[in-house]
Every structure is written in structure tokens, then in C-alpha cells.
Amino acid sequence: MKPRQKYSAFALVREAMRGHTGWPRAWNSPLPSKRYDVIVIGAGGHGLATAYYLGKNHQIRNVAVLEKGWLGGGNTGRNTTIIRSNYLQDASAAIYEKSRSLYEELSQQLNYNVMFSPRGVMMLAQTHHEARGYQRINNANIVQGVATEYISPEQVRELCPIISISGPRYPVLGALWQARGGTARHDAVAWGYARACSEMGMHIIEQCEVTSVRTEGGRVVGVETGKGSIECGKLAIVVAGHSGVVAERAGFRLPIESVALQALVSEPIKPCLDVVVMANTVHGYISQSDKGELVIGGGADQYNNYSQRGSFLHIEETVRALVETFPIISRLQMLRQWGGIVDMTGDRSPILSRTPVEGVYINCGWGTGGFKAIPGSGWAMAELVANDQPGALAASFGLERFREGRFIDESVAAGVAH
Amino acid sequence: MLKLTCPYCGIEADETELHGGGEAHLERAAGGAGDSELEQYLFIRSNPRGVHFERWHHIHGCGKWFHAARCTETMEVFGTYSAQTLRPPENTLSEIKRRRPNWVNA
Ligand SMILES: Cc1cc2nc3c(=O)[nH]c(=O)nc-3n(C[C@H](O)[C@H](O)[C@H](O)COP(=O)(O)OP(=O)(O)OC[C@H]3O[C@@H](n4cnc5c(N)ncnc54)[C@H](O)[C@@H]3O)c2cc1C
Ligand SMILES: [Zn+2]
């Protein structure tokens, strides 16, 4: 493979002059080696970020990322890309804010444009209960040092003129507003991390499903894959919706259930919405992409599902709610709709943890809201894998919290967790 | 749209008429249970990709709880049955084995 080419305005001009024939592949696709110091299962954002920070922060570079499908083809490539950090609990605020702040400079860090767009995220309060919940989060965020504010309906209208403030069913009573929240390009986040990992000499191996985990005396020694058996010193399982399946292959069970979450996009229209709006009471959230499409997300299904297709009724529910909140979109046609399998924990908080198998670590449970967490999660996971113990960011998110009753309850504030 | 037949009232109900109740046949942690048993009962789930036994509530119908055996990969329903049982009935198990010869009840 050719050495990495730095992406720049100059490179763009040079390539324009020669018909764009000189761009090297963004990452290499080697055959697996016999052994790696660390194997990461899952080339979604979290797996790739874990590998990246292992190399960057801990100088562990003999690393492979194994992906059963294609890179970024899981939830990372299916999500609605909302990024915010105004969560309620201290542990959440810490890791999500770390993540949000890493997003601010990620394009420069990776030399890859992830199109982070801090356009502001607004969570509408449409019941009194919700209004009080958001005021409580706002108070917690002040103490935690997370910049957010509770705004009035008039401020909501100013920021987003197309909202119908007065209802009829659920009038807007206020909103939790994070001005430095926003969106990023989902694929670019995965691709940017993959390119940087590849540059450090790591192996990213697609079409390579891990089918079993080999242990000796309670310690991991390797994995069986569709491309043969591979040895490893440590193993990081970062497979979101498939966490239960892979954990079973490693011999333990998780406090996780996998359900479908759906999203859809409309035909492109002229710019009409330059913030992200979330309406959690009615299960709908919306933003406008650079192409002009309205990107819409809905609620999760109520039953376990691995089919990557959700229930039609949730689409209907979401669209109904959004048409009421944004009357001007009522005649838009929808272009496509899809689903991803999200990994839900009982307290709606993630798991970054050691496991019953020595040398095996797991990062999962991000559920409906982990895109925003990719950089921070990768950072914290790399620390956990490298040191065999969690740093400050991951410390509260261990598996033992379910046994010990130390939940990080984020389910109280919002029906959906984005 | 998922449809399940309520074994009590016999109606084939749309999922909008039902409320999901999660994994079935969990062993309830008894009074003197320790932290690990409670953790098992309250949080740890088999969450399989494939055959899944689950609880459903016919909430906008006859109001009864019942059980269903369903495939989480294909959405096939193998059968629904009474909630008054600790394990799936034989006819449901044989229907599963007929359609999933390699399936083992974990
Ligand atoms: C419709 C939808 C909307 C969402 N909206 C938002 C949002 O607005 N904001 C937000 O913050 N979050 C959102 N999320 C959540 C977010 O997408 C996820 O939390 C996040 O992308 C998870 O990333 P990941 O890397 O952990 O998982 P994934 O991207 O799913 O990656 C896991 C990878 O593991 C691979 N894998 C699985 N099993 C194996 C195996 N045995 N061997 C090898 N590889 C395997 C999979 O193929 C997959 O590529 C949304 C999710 C969905 C589905
Ligand atoms: Zn009934």
C-alpha cells in the first residue's frame, strides 16, 4: 500500500489536475496475521475508535479490527448522528462531554473531514413533567461544567421558526438547548478512524466474523473467524446489537436486550431547519442534512429483534408527531427508511467493562444514543484495555453495577436517549 | 406488523394491541436471594439471535398475560401459550424443532 497521503486543499488541486487517479486507498485490507496483541471485534465507530486510541494514547499498535460485514455497516452507518452531552448523571456527563469535545477537533486530529457541525441541539419540553426533568438536567449540567441552558418557547421559535409552539396536543413549554451540540457525518467518522488506524499499521479485516472465542484456563488466547483462527493477547468486544451473541460465544451473558430502532429521510428541500430538534414525548427527532433531506428518527420497538427492520407503526407514530410539530413538512415524501439493532441496558447507560473471561473486555449498551459517544468511548475503552483497569471515564460503567445496584439511570429524563 | 394470537381470547392481535413483557421463564429470585441471583433475575438476559420465549400482555384486549415463542431473526412465530406454565409446552417445542432442527434449548 502507498503511504498515506495527507488530505489538503493542495492535494485536491493536484488530484484535480490528474483526473483523481492518485488517491491511495484510505485503509489497507490485509489477510489476518497469526497473532495480535489486541483484537477488536466490530468495525463500527466504537471499535475503530478503541483501536485508534490504543495506538495513539497507549502505543499498542499490533492491533486488528475484525468486522463481519463492512466497515461502518452497523449502527454507526444507520444513525441520525445527533451529538450532545447534556445528560443527567455525573458519569454520563463526563464521558459524553469528553466525547463532544473530542468531536470539535476530530477532523484535524484524523486529517479527515468528519463534518462536525455544532449547529445546536434542542430537546423540546412538551409536558410539565418533561419541563421539570430538563430543568433538573440543566441544574446538574451547571454543576458538572457542561454548557447547556433551559430556554423559553419564544427562544425556541426564534431558533426554529417552523415549529408550531402552541400544540395542539403537546404545546412547547420550553427546551433544553445545547448550542455546541450538533451532528457529524456518520460514515466519515468510521472512515476517518479506519484510515488513521491503518496508517499506524493496524489491520482492519472486513468480511471476517468471529464465530468463537478460545480460552485457556479462563484467559483468552484467540478467536475463530471466517478467515481462520487468530491468536491474541487481549480481546475487545465492541459489537453493539450483537453483544449478546458474541458474549455467548465467549461464555457469559449480559444485561442487554437487542431491539430495532428506525430512521428515515425525506426528499431534499431548501434549507428550513438549521438546528437539531428532539421531541421525546412524541418520539420524533429531526435535522436537515447538507443535501437538504430531513433526517428523522423515531422510537425503538418493544420486542427483541435482530432483523434490522422495525415495526411500521413506529414510523407512523413518529411521522404523525412530527407533522403536528412541524406543519410545513406534511406534504413531503419520504425517500428511504431503515433500521439498526440497538443494545439496550436496564439503566439506559453503556457498559465499558472487564468480563468474566480474563483478557476480554466489552464495550456495549450504547443503545439508541452512542454515535455521539464514539470518540470518548474509544478513549475510555483503550485505557481500560491497555491498563487492564478502567480510568476515571469508564470506572462507573462496569458490569458489576447491575449486581451492586449502582445504576447510572438515564432512562428517567427521556423516552428516547439520543 | 407483528401479530400474535392470544391463547386466552383467541384473537389474532396486532402488536399495537399488545404490550411486550420481555424474556419468559425467568426463575424468580426468592426472598433470601443474594446479589448475584437478583442480578440474574432482574437484568441478565439470553437475548438470542433466533428462538426466543417471551411474555406478552394483551393490554388492549382481554387483559391477560401470555407467552410466545418467536424467532428474533426472521420474526416467525412458533406458537403462543398460557402464562400458567414454567416451561414451554411440548407442542410448541416440537414445532420449533421441526422448523429449527439444530436448535438446542439453552
Ligand atoms: C436508527 C438509529 C438512529 C440512531 N441515532 C443516534 C443519534 O442520533 N445519536 C447518537 O448518538 N446515536 C444514535 N444511534 C445509536 C448509535 O448508532 C450507536 O450507539 C452507535 O453507532 C454504536 O456504534 P458501535 O460501533 O458500538 O456499533 P456498530 O456500528 O453497530 O458496530 C458494531 C459492528 O460489529 C460487527 N459485528 C457484530 N458481530 C460480529 C462478529 N461476530 N464478528 C465480527 N464483527 C461483528 C457488526 O457488523 C458492526 O459493524 C442511533 C441508532 C440507530 C439504529
Ligand atoms: Zn386476549
Side-chain angles (χ1 to χ4, degrees):
Chain A
M1 177 181 150
K2 287 191 219 171
R4 181 171 105 168
Q5 184 179 33
K6 191 170 179 336
Y7 292 156
S8 64
F10 171 72
L12 200 60
V13 172
R14 188 189 56 220
E15 288 306 323
M17 309 285 280
R18 55 182 189 194
H20 294 284
T21 52
W23 298 112
R25 284 179 175 275
W27 60 87
N28 58 5
S29 309
L31 287 170
S33 308
K34 191 169 173 297
R35 184 187 182 280
Y36 297 93
D37 293 337
V38 178
I39 287 178
V40 177
I41 311 179
H46 288 258
L48 291 162
T50 299
Y52 173 77
Y53 294 109
L54 274 172
K56 194 87 187 155
N57 295 352
H58 304 278
Q59 284 69 51
I60 299 174
R61 300 199 168 152
N62 181 18
V63 174
V65 184
L66 309 183
E67 166 56 50
K68 76 171 173 156
W70 69 95
L71 189 151
N75 294 345
T76 300
R78 294 164 184 269
N79 85 98
T80 49
T81 76
I82 300 172
I83 296 171
R84 63 180 183 90
S85 63
N86 44 2
Y87 282 69
L88 176 64
Q89 307 293 348
D90 291 352
S92 319
I95 196 164
Y96 287 108
E97 174 58 15
K98 170 75 180 175
S99 199
R100 198 205 55 78
S101 65
L102 286 170
Y103 262 121
E104 298 251 6
E105 291 178 358
L106 197 59
S107 294
Q108 289 77 4
Q109 265 286 324
L110 298 177
N111 179 231
Y112 201 103
N113 188 1
V114 302
M115 296 166 73
F116 176 57
S117 163
R119 59 185 68 179
V121 175
M122 179 190 289
M123 294 201 280
L124 302 180
Q126 292 176 287
T127 63
H128 287 287
H129 173 76
E130 211 175 10
R132 277 195 289 264
Y134 289 151
Q135 281 159 13
R136 178 180 174 208
I137 293 180
N138 185 35
N139 293 339
N141 286 167
I142 291 169
V143 180
Q144 291 151 348
V146 173
T148 189
E149 64 184 301
Y150 188 79
I151 61 175
S152 67
E154 292 67 42
Q155 286 169 293
V156 169
R157 202 204 311 267
E158 223 161 87
L159 286 161
C160 183
I162 65 170
I163 285 191
S164 156
I165 297 289
S166 54
R169 246 194 330 162
Y170 292 109
V172 174
L173 307 174
L176 190 62
W177 167 245
Q178 188 169 36
R180 294 300 292 178
T183 59
R185 173 81 203 277
H186 49 11
D187 293 327
V189 172
W191 296 340
Y193 274 120
R195 176 166 167 268
C197 288
S198 195
E199 167 75 358
M200 288 188 281
M202 296 177 178
H203 287 181
I204 294 159
I205 304 168
E206 294 169 88
Q207 307 283 314
C208 183
E209 175 168 359
V210 172
T211 50
S212 69
V213 175
R214 282 192 294 125
T215 58
E216 265 169 33
R219 199 191 154 82
V220 67
V221 292
V223 293
E224 296 298 332
T225 77
K227 296 190 171 172
S229 81
I230 312 174
E231 294 167 22
C232 67
K234 293 177 177 178
L235 181 68
I237 301 173
V238 196
V239 295
H242 280 78
S243 297
V245 175
V246 177
E248 195 84 39
R249 290 173 187 171
F252 57 94
R253 285 192 173 174
L254 294 169
I256 293 249
E257 293 199 273
S258 298
V259 302
L261 180 70
Q262 299 176 86
L264 58 159
V265 293
S266 74
E267 59 190 321
I269 53 172
K270 286 188 176 171
C272 64
L273 179 64
D274 62 358
V275 295
V276 180
V277 182
M278 305 170 63
N280 291 334
T281 292
V282 293
H283 289 304
Y285 42 98
I286 187 167
S287 66
Q288 190 167 22
S289 76
D290 293 340
K291 284 185 283 184
E293 301 156 336
L294 296 180
V295 180
I296 295 171
D301 280 357
Q302 55 168 338
Y303 49 84
N304 294 32
N305 179 352
Y306 283 88
S307 73
Q308 289 189 328
R309 281 165 156 200
S311 270
F312 185 72
L313 71 100
H314 281 286
I315 299 279
E316 198 180 10
E317 176 191 64
T318 297
V319 169
R320 192 167 57 216
L322 289 177
V323 166
E324 214 169 86
T325 316
F326 302 95
I328 72 156
I329 71 170
S330 68
R331 296 204 201 145
L332 279 189
Q333 316 224 24
M334 293 300 143
L335 278 188
R336 0 176 240 291
Q337 159 270 336
W338 64 90
I341 301 307
V342 295
D343 39 340
M344 308 296 281
T345 57
D347 62 359
R348 300 292 183 263
S349 284
I351 293 167
L352 290 103
S353 187
R354 294 162 62 165
T355 70
V357 185
E358 228 181 293
V360 176
Y361 309 86
I362 192 154
N363 179 345
C364 63
W366 294 98
T368 58
F371 175 73
K372 63 178 69 64
I374 286 173
S377 155
W379 184 288
M381 186 65 180
E383 202 170 25
L384 168 64
V385 173
N387 303 331
D388 189 38
Q389 57 181 26
L393 284 177
S396 306
F397 294 102
L399 271 171
E400 65 283 356
R401 75 173 186 270
F402 296 95
R403 189 173 57 245
E404 296 169 358
R406 289 185 298 97
F407 311 116
I408 305 165
D409 195 345
E410 290 294 346
S411 60
V412 284
V416 289
H418 305 273
Chain B
M1 175 89 64
L2 181 65
K3 290 183 175 192
L4 297 172
T5 302
C6 173
Y8 291 97
C9 65
I11 282 176
E12 187 186 58
D14 284 355
E15 63 175 287
T16 43
E17 204 174 313
L18 302 165
H19 181 75
E23 186 168 354
H25 307 303
L26 297 171
E27 201 171 318
R28 193 184 182 100
D35 290 350
S36 295
E37 285 91 61
L38 274 167
E39 180 198 21
Q40 284 294 323
Y41 171 59
L42 291 172
F43 299 109
I44 305 294
R45 295 292 176 261
S46 61
N47 194 22
R49 183 183 174 118
V51 179
H52 190 232
F53 300 100
E54 53 201 17
R55 284 152 40 86
W56 285 90
H57 187 188
H58 195 182
I59 194 164
H60 300 299
C62 69
K64 292 285 192 195
W65 282 91
F66 64 93
H67 286 158
R70 196 174 57 84
C71 177
T72 61
E73 193 173 355
T74 64
M75 299 288 124
E76 273 168 279
V77 178
F78 302 112
T80 54
Y81 52 95
S82 155
Q84 265 59 53
T85 175
L86 296 177
R87 59 186 304 269
E90 281 313 317
N91 61 342
T92 304
L93 289 173
S94 54
E95 179 61 14
I96 295 169
K97 280 180 192 145
R98 192 176 68 78
R99 293 202 238 170
R100 298 282 186 283
N102 297 325
W103 175 72
V104 276
N105 197 354

